[in-house]
Amino acid sequence: MLRRRIALAGITILCMTTGLIGCGAKEEPVPVPEVDEVVEEEPAPEVEEEPEEEEPELTTAYPVIGERVSENGKIQSYLTGEWTDEKIAQRRPIAVMIPNNAPAMPQYGLSKAGIIYEAPVEGRITRLMAVLEDFDELERVGPVRSSRDYYVYTAMGYEAIYCNWGLAVPYVEELINRPEYYNVSASVIGIHNPADEAFGRVKRPGYATEFTGYLMIEGLFKAVDRLGYDWNYDDKYVPPFLFAADDVTADYDEKEDAVMVYPGGKSGRNSGGYGAYHPYFEYHEDDHLYYRYQDGKKQIDEYNNEQLAVSNVVFQYCHGEVRDDHDYLAFGVHGEGDAIVFTNGKAIKGTWRRFDGDFTPAKFYDEAGEEIIFNQGKTWICNIWQEYGEYVEYGKDDESLSTPDMPSVEAADAS
């Protein structure tokens, strides 16, 4: 590029010289200095600056999705990386609190979630938060239960509209009612601006009343409109995952096999939240999906009667604390900690980091500090109570299970 600029400078000199005898005249050309002489006159620093003309490229182990571009009315989802109707993939998702204990089963609409976040609550069971962007065809989602502050903080990282039904006290009231936190909540103690039009009861003979309340999608749209919430992502939105490009599989052949994955160990004997119903994931090589089991059975979505399955499973280790004698918990979902990403039947150890405030998600990095590349599809994130991390197990089958040598990073203090 530099030599081209120099040659043009020589032509300018020629034009200026020939201009003395008339441009375009058919006279003997005036001798022009050799180009090499002009090169020698160029300042040396310009030669050193030439590499700056090349922009640095993102180097990853696998090709990844770059800047999103709309094609034929579709664009790649921030939550799954998959091609999705543009109006769906360009709007904020909703984050819905869903019980995960046996008396609530089966849940409705979970299979439509791009991300499912699971964390322990009091009583040493887990509760789910379904993050959905593709929900228009659903009549409802649920059943819906109450909030905990660490779920609120996690939902904000996805810029989701947070949906819950249940007491907002203790520990949640001040947080959930902040004007910058979009919430659609039923009218209960602690909710300052309720949205009852978004919720309704569904007859479920034999179920306790607490497991009959659902988020109604038609009412959700009405509530968001009335509350004046903006469906558009913020200009500074940070996508939660780095996805492999189309027709690319991040295979991680050199990593440990992880076909059977147990957040609470195969025996389920721990008291860190995953012991009550013994959940686990089983990888199927034919479709590259992890299938969810709980209480010895397939975990089914009542919406389509299909087993829940995802492309990626994440164990996000967080420091946890018991807050009071009612067994309410706190988890450190900001800062950093250990993590394992399971994808394509492999386990990638690393860390998670979240230092840029409530409206950025946790990001996941391998042991070399490079962002982990997720395979396109749904992701299930299990909050692993770090103090009970010794019970985590995975392996290529049930006979070769092992507990990872974790943690290597001191997890953040509980929020």
Side-chain angles (χ1 to χ4, degrees):
M1 185 70 74
L2 175 60
R3 184 171 295 274
R4 181 176 299 172
R5 290 199 297 269
I6 294 169
L8 289 174
I11 293 171
T12 303
I13 293 171
L14 173 60
C15 188
M16 292 175 62
T17 306
T18 56
L20 297 175
I21 59 174
C23 255
K26 296 181 180 179
E27 288 148 5
E28 290 296 323
V30 177
V32 180
E34 293 290 332
V35 173
D36 288 342
E37 292 179 13
V38 178
V39 172
E40 292 174 1
E41 292 176 2
E42 285 290 325
E46 288 195 23
V47 178
E48 295 177 0
E49 292 175 1
E50 186 170 352
E52 295 182 5
E53 297 176 3
E54 299 179 6
E55 294 184 2
E57 295 182 359
L58 177 65
T59 57
T60 60
Y62 306 95
V64 298
I65 296 174
E67 183 177 352
R68 302 196 309 168
V69 177
S70 177
E71 294 184 10
N72 300 318
K74 292 191 173 185
I75 199 167
Q76 286 167 300
S77 165
Y78 285 133
L79 303 186
T80 67
E82 298 173 326
W83 288 96
T84 304
D85 187 284
E86 189 170 1
K87 75 171 186 176
I88 290 173
Q90 294 283 44
R91 72 182 175 197
R92 294 172 186 258
I94 58 174
V96 188
M97 294 297 298
I98 297 180
N100 194 44
N101 44 334
M105 299 295 181
Q107 301 109 331
Y108 192 98
L110 270 180
S111 61
K112 299 290 285 183
I115 301 171
I116 297 174
Y117 177 77
E118 181 174 18
V121 294
E122 63 281 357
R124 297 305 185 269
I125 60 175
T126 64
R127 185 162 293 178
L128 308 180
M129 182 177 73
V131 183
L132 307 95
E133 61 182 359
D134 185 6
F135 51 81
D136 298 70
E137 67 181 49
L138 293 173
E139 177 192 16
R140 64 187 188 273
V141 178
V144 181
R145 291 303 307 276
S146 60
S147 174
R148 302 292 180 269
D149 58 353
Y150 42 99
Y151 291 92
V152 179
Y153 283 125
T154 300
M156 294 308 102
Y158 306 126
E159 291 194 4
I161 297 172
Y162 186 72
C163 306
N164 72 112
W165 188 349
L167 296 180
V169 290
Y171 311 116
V172 176
E173 181 176 5
E174 188 278 329
L175 176 67
I176 199 171
N177 289 298
R178 293 178 187 175
E180 67 270 27
Y181 288 3
Y182 291 177
N183 78 89
V184 171
S185 304
S187 180
V188 294
I189 295 174
I191 297 297
H192 300 175
N193 195 1
D196 285 334
E197 68 265 44
F199 300 91
R201 297 283 180 187
V202 173
K203 289 184 178 180
R204 302 183 81 190
Y207 285 81
T209 302
E210 63 189 293
F211 301 123
T212 63
Y214 287 78
L215 176 73
M216 300 300 181
I217 299 303
E218 183 178 350
L220 166 72
F221 283 112
K222 293 178 181 178
V224 171
D225 182 59
R226 178 180 62 80
L227 293 167
Y229 294 156
D230 185 358
W231 279 108
N232 297 313
Y233 282 107
D234 186 90
D235 291 339
K236 297 180 180 179
Y237 176 75
V238 177
F241 308 120
L242 183 63
F243 284 110
D246 290 345
D247 303 318
V248 172
T249 298
D251 51 40
Y252 295 102
D253 284 339
E254 75 285 0
K255 300 297 183 180
E256 296 176 272
D257 289 328
V259 174
M260 304 301 299
V261 176
Y262 295 87
K266 187 174 186 297
S267 67
R269 65 188 183 281
N270 84 86
S271 57
Y274 294 91
Y277 299 108
H278 315 303
Y280 68 92
F281 301 87
E282 181 179 73
Y283 176 71
H284 291 190
E285 189 174 4
D286 58 343
D287 58 7
H288 304 282
L289 295 178
Y290 280 91
Y291 285 80
R292 169 79 172 203
Y293 294 80
Q294 189 159 284
D295 239 357
K297 299 176 289 188
K298 297 177 180 178
Q299 190 160 352
I300 301 296
D301 183 357
E302 187 180 21
Y303 162 67
N304 54 16
N305 287 319
E306 293 180 1
Q307 185 177 5
L308 298 174
V310 296
S311 296
N312 313 286
V313 176
V314 178
F315 287 178
Q316 181 179 353
Y317 289 72
C318 301
H319 169 63
E321 297 175 358
V322 179
R323 281 172 153 158
D324 55 33
D325 56 6
H326 295 289
D327 201 36
Y328 281 101
L329 306 178
F331 288 96
V333 294
H334 296 83
E336 65 180 344
D338 288 287
I340 309 175
V341 173
F342 301 95
T343 191
N344 199 52
K346 297 291 182 176
I348 303 93
K349 294 180 183 177
T351 60
W352 64 267
R353 303 174 201 161
R354 187 185 184 191
F355 290 106
D356 296 325
D358 295 346
F359 292 96
T360 58
K363 303 283 281 184
F364 299 92
Y365 302 87
D366 62 22
E367 292 175 299
E370 299 294 328
E371 188 169 354
I372 294 173
I373 298 171
F374 286 62
N375 283 299
Q376 292 186 28
K378 300 176 175 67
T379 298
W380 193 305
I381 301 175
C382 295
N383 178 331
I384 301 297
W385 191 339
Q386 180 176 320
E387 286 73 9
Y388 296 94
E390 63 185 284
Y391 295 103
V392 166
E393 290 183 298
Y394 63 83
K396 65 180 179 180
D397 52 41
D398 278 343
E399 283 66 49
S400 61
L401 296 176
S402 63
T403 298
D405 184 17
M406 308 284 273
S408 59
V409 173
E410 184 176 347
D413 292 337
S415 297

